[in-house]
Amino acid sequence: MLDKSKFFFLGAALFSGVSASLYPMVVLKTRQQVAHSQLSCIRTAFHLVRHEGFRALYRGFGTSLMGTIPARALYMGALEFTKSYVGTATVRVGFPEATAATIANAAAGLSAAMAAQLVWTPVDVVSQRLMVQTHFNNPNPSSTRYINGVDAFRKILNADGLRGLYRGFGISILTYAPSNAVWWASYYVAQRLVWGGIGCYYSKKLDEGNENGSSNVYRPDSKTVIAVQGASAAMAGSISALITMPLDTIKTRLQVLDGDENGRRGPTIGQTLRNLVREGGWTACYRGLAPRCASMSMSATTMITTYEFLKRLSTKNREGLTS
């Protein structure tokens, strides 16, 4: 029932705007993850702005934005196709509708994340190298300097080949695929819980209305629907961020650090984990948790409300379809 061209075009524009508003949180998270000492998110932000200016909060954004359109197109296409196919298949097998919907949402999130990583991994490698690049207190002064995203892309490709651009691809899949599966499944369950709570709250009012001869059907308005979607998305985002944080920290370090210990091949997952634990114990794996939770919760809230709004805008005219 969707106008696919409108869905993808409007989706790219709306999601690009959302990404721009949340990008500074991603920069702060990345800075905290690669730092050799623990600094709070607020101190990291003040230090960054004071020494490098406000523009440092958007370093690498151009590269990230260029990857948004193809990555979002892959993500949304895989999401809708998988959700429709798996949902229909699970109902035919005999699963209850609620269980089938949860399975379909989880499978859709999984496949969408895997498809999007084909674009996002090289974009992440380039943009994160730009994010952490600094002339002040550089933790890796021997690292290559990059002028912009194109220069970073060229230098990484010349030094390490295509493998360099896809450094951390495997752990990216291990991070984002389960993260998206958990997110979409949690989002659906959270919506049911929130609507259940609202139903209990209004049941007494509806019972009182029955005594006065009023209608006993509760019809939520659009504002209530958006509020429920936003709250459910925030809950799902926080859960997903907490579960996958250690993997995200390891992934970021693999993609950013040049790996002096291991030469051109770069550090291994085991070396990265050992370095993290040696620097700050197991809690070092959770560096950047606050901005990541905030970013994922806010992103999830805005993304899902934008996503649902986008679907309504892109729905084909039923009258035109039946004529």
Side-chain angles (χ1 to χ4, degrees), residues 189-241:
V189 172
Q191 273 205 101
R192 288 176 61 85
L193 291 174
V194 174
W195 281 122
I198 292 175
C200 291
Y201 175 77
Y202 279 99
S203 62
K204 294 182 180 180
K205 291 187 177 182
L206 294 176
D207 290 340
E208 293 174 0
N210 287 337
E211 295 177 0
N212 299 326
S214 302
S215 173
N216 62 349
V217 178
Y218 170 64
R219 295 182 177 87
D221 56 19
S222 59
K223 291 182 179 179
T224 303
V225 172
I226 292 174
V228 171
Q229 290 172 345
S232 302
M235 292 166 61
S238 297
I239 293 171
S240 180

Side-chain angles (χ1 to χ4, degrees), residues 252-282:
T252 300
R253 286 210 164 197
L254 283 173
Q255 292 176 331
V256 168
L257 301 181
D258 285 335
D260 294 334
E261 296 180 9
N262 219 25
R264 173 173 282 187
R265 287 194 301 114
T268 64
I269 293 176
Q271 288 174 335
T272 303
L273 180 59
R274 283 194 297 272
N275 289 339
L276 273 170
V277 175
R278 185 165 56 245
E279 288 171 16
W282 289 103

